[in-house]
Amino acid sequence: MRLPVVALLAALSASPALAQEPATASPASAELPGLAEMKAAMPRPVLAPGTPAGARAIRAALIPYVTAEAFESGIVAITPVSDGYRIDLSFQDVLDSLADTTGIAMTVSDYALLISEQPDGQWYVSISGPLAIAMKMSVPQPGTTGARMVDRSLRMSVEDTAFEGYFDPNLFGYTRSYWVIGTVRQTETTGEFVSTSETGPSTMVAESREGGNGTVDMDAIQTIGATRQAFDLSVDPANPDRTIPVLITSQEARSEVTGEGFESQDLGRLLPLLVELSQEPERPGLLKALQAGLTAALPVFEQFAIAATIAGAKVDLGPFGSGEIAAIEMDVDMDGAETSGAYSLAYDLTGVSVASPFIPAWASPLVPERLRIELTASDIDLANPARTAIENLRLDADAPLIPSAFETMAQQFEASGPSFGISDSLLSGKDYTIDYSAAFKDGATTIAVETDGLDRIIAHLQAAGADVPEAMQGVSFLQVAKGFAKPFDDGRHEWIVHLGADGSVTVNGAMLKAPAPEPLPGSGNLPPAIDRL
């Protein structure tokens, strides 16, 4: 029976939102939003009764991943049932035994899942029912030196959830999976501070398939319902009663995830080694096995990307005003641990508006309505530093790496000639647009800024300054900046600023600061005869 962690560890990691939350095996409510869609989208499994012999085989297959002690102590239990095998996880006894030493009281509802082997060798996995977790501890009162302790508690519940998936041991991943998550409610209390939040029903649908050279490619789409968080923010720690109400809301969020070349099988083979490391770190040969496993798992993946959108985000600060963003878009694109990898992170905020009694009327047209920034990195060598870290790994010392390894890793990183930058970025308002980019390489920085509407901003401030003198404060600065700009016939202005590694500064080719003088021979900048005194 091929069941390497089957659904136990894999199912726990199938949903990022619920990876550490408990579940039960009680049936999901028929009223759970999205449940009908899940049933229609997922193929029906072939269910067969489990047997005692099958349960023993599953237990033997899971011991390298969870240890025999987990079964002996009742944390994990496997029971044959009419539809396959039920795996129960109960952490409460362990949490209760740790409460006295950690000072953290925690309650977690039991976790259970149903698994059933399919004719094609995959394993059907099902989880359903409500979730609950509660935690309480003593912490220093915020804003104090720690002399006064207050209780901090966290309660989180999911009214209902359902999951179905098909786990392929050969891929060490789900070929198809579907999460449906009901409303999530959370309350956090620290002394007088109380925060409540609620997230509407969510779903996640994922698929994986065989990639090249034994790797796995995957796609996932996740939607998260409307969110609401409310709390009172203290504005004066010395007077906790002085607070302002804060309300943060958003409409639906959606993210699409794609990945290629995941080394899922090699990563899966690392799990028993890590469990063994926690149990018997001095076993002969374990270090070499761990190093071999980590090396085999490189580059972890070939490519990974996330495209996410949050609609209708709003922050209300009561008497201080409010702000709203019609849409927040985030894009992440990254290579794995390659010798010349590329990485980027972009945010695009559109439909930005701010209303506050502290923003004067003359300044309102200057408030940005859109902000986009993209951070990039290229020619990044993570492969060689990763291999150096693995080769110098230690299990029998306080420091996990040989100290000299850090210097070698830094040299390897720099040897690839990494480049960093800001590209395709902008800031725009009612009457202006500012496009900007930057490049950082070999100690030099080049910044490019182009504006459309600079003259309109200056004219607006001058007109406002007739009645409000403080509006004129920015005019002189903008006029000086305009003097350094390269003008275009259509009213745009451009600045190319270069900060050289030699200390020089140029703007549009005109040198504002000469290169720093070369140091004279000797240990400092003094003439050698004086330096020797």
Side-chain angles (χ1 to χ4, degrees), residues 86-167:
R86 173 177 170 136
I87 300 179
D88 289 277
L89 293 93
S90 179
F91 300 101
Q92 197 56 54
D93 289 344
V94 175
L95 295 174
D96 290 342
S97 66
L98 293 175
D100 293 337
T101 56
T102 63
I104 302 175
M106 181 179 294
T107 58
V108 176
S109 56
D110 292 343
Y111 200 114
L113 52 153
L114 173 71
I115 65 174
S116 180
E117 188 172 15
Q118 301 300 290
D120 61 0
Q122 296 190 65
W123 285 79
Y124 170 74
V125 182
S126 174
I127 306 173
S128 61
L131 314 172
I133 183 172
M135 181 176 63
K136 185 176 181 180
M137 69 184 78
S138 293
V139 298
Q141 181 178 355
T144 69
T145 59
R148 180 184 176 188
M149 304 294 287
V150 296
D151 288 336
R152 180 181 182 181
S153 64
L154 173 68
R155 292 184 176 275
M156 181 167 54
S157 65
V158 183
E159 63 181 9
D160 207 352
T161 184
F163 170 83
E164 288 188 5
Y166 290 87
F167 183 83

Side-chain angles (χ1 to χ4, degrees), residues 210-235:
E210 186 175 353
N213 300 320
T215 62
V216 173
D217 298 340
M218 57 82 64
D219 302 285
I221 297 176
Q222 183 176 28
T223 61
I224 301 176
T227 64
R228 182 183 188 278
Q229 182 179 12
F231 58 90
D232 290 333
L233 180 66
S234 176
V235 295

Side-chain angles (χ1 to χ4, degrees), residues 37 68-69 110 118-119 172 223 258 298 363 384 444 446 468 476 492 503:
E37 290 83 352
E69 290 80 2
D110 292 343
Q118 301 300 290
F172 204 84
T223 61
T258 60
L298 293 178
N384 286 311
T446 300
V468 186
S476 297
R492 293 178 296 118

Side-chain angles (χ1 to χ4, degrees), residues 141-330:
Q141 181 178 355
T144 69
T145 59
R148 180 184 176 188
M149 304 294 287
V150 296
D151 288 336
R152 180 181 182 181
S153 64
L154 173 68
R155 292 184 176 275
M156 181 167 54
S157 65
V158 183
E159 63 181 9
D160 207 352
T161 184
F163 170 83
E164 288 188 5
Y166 290 87
F167 183 83
D168 187 342
N170 294 317
L171 295 182
F172 204 84
Y174 283 92
T175 55
R176 299 188 69 178
S177 62
Y178 204 126
W179 270 103
V180 178
I181 305 164
T183 299
V184 180
R185 296 181 176 86
Q186 180 173 307
T187 300
E188 180 182 354
T189 303
T190 304
E192 301 297 325
F193 174 84
V194 178
S195 172
T196 61
S197 64
E198 181 175 303
T199 302
S202 308
T203 63
M204 187 176 78
V205 183
E207 293 185 357
S208 65
R209 57 202 169 275
E210 186 175 353
N213 300 320
T215 62
V216 173
D217 298 340
M218 57 82 64
D219 302 285
I221 297 176
Q222 183 176 28
T223 61
I224 301 176
T227 64
R228 182 183 188 278
Q229 182 179 12
F231 58 90
D232 290 333
L233 180 66
S234 176
V235 295
D236 184 359
N239 298 283
D241 293 336
R242 297 183 60 184
T243 62
I244 58 173
V246 179
L247 178 62
I248 303 173
T249 59
S250 68
Q251 299 174 18
E252 182 181 88
R254 176 185 173 90
S255 63
E256 297 185 12
V257 179
T258 60
E260 297 179 0
F262 275 91
E263 304 284 352
S264 61
Q265 296 182 55
D266 288 314
L267 292 170
R269 295 186 187 102
L270 281 172
L271 292 175
L273 293 174
L274 296 175
V275 170
E276 190 173 356
L277 178 63
S278 66
Q279 297 290 308
E280 192 181 0
E282 298 180 357
R283 180 182 70 80
L286 179 58
L287 175 58
K288 288 186 177 181
L290 184 59
Q291 289 172 320
L294 290 169
T295 301
L298 293 178
V300 185
F301 57 85
E302 293 179 4
Q303 191 272 340
F304 182 73
I306 302 175
T309 302
I310 302 175
K314 185 175 182 179
V315 178
D316 191 325
L317 300 178
F320 288 86
S322 63
E324 187 169 356
I325 305 173
I328 302 173
E329 296 183 4
M330 181 190 75

Side-chain angles (χ1 to χ4, degrees), residues 419-481:
S419 299
F420 303 91
I422 300 173
S423 65
D424 192 26
S425 300
L426 67 84
L427 186 70
S428 65
K430 179 180 179 182
D431 294 318
Y432 67 90
T433 298
I434 303 173
D435 294 283
Y436 61 97
S437 62
F440 312 92
K441 186 175 178 64
D442 298 330
T445 301
T446 300
I447 303 171
V449 179
E450 182 181 297
T451 65
D452 181 8
L454 178 60
D455 290 330
R456 290 190 294 271
I457 294 176
I458 293 175
H460 170 77
L461 293 176
Q462 289 174 330
D467 299 319
V468 186
E470 56 264 34
M472 293 293 294
Q473 294 176 359
V475 173
S476 297
F477 171 78
L478 293 177
Q479 288 177 332
V480 171

Side-chain angles (χ1 to χ4, degrees), residues 31-49:
E31 299 178 356
L32 176 62
L35 182 62
E37 290 83 352
M38 181 187 80
K39 295 294 185 182
M42 295 295 291
R44 290 299 87 205
V46 176
L47 301 177

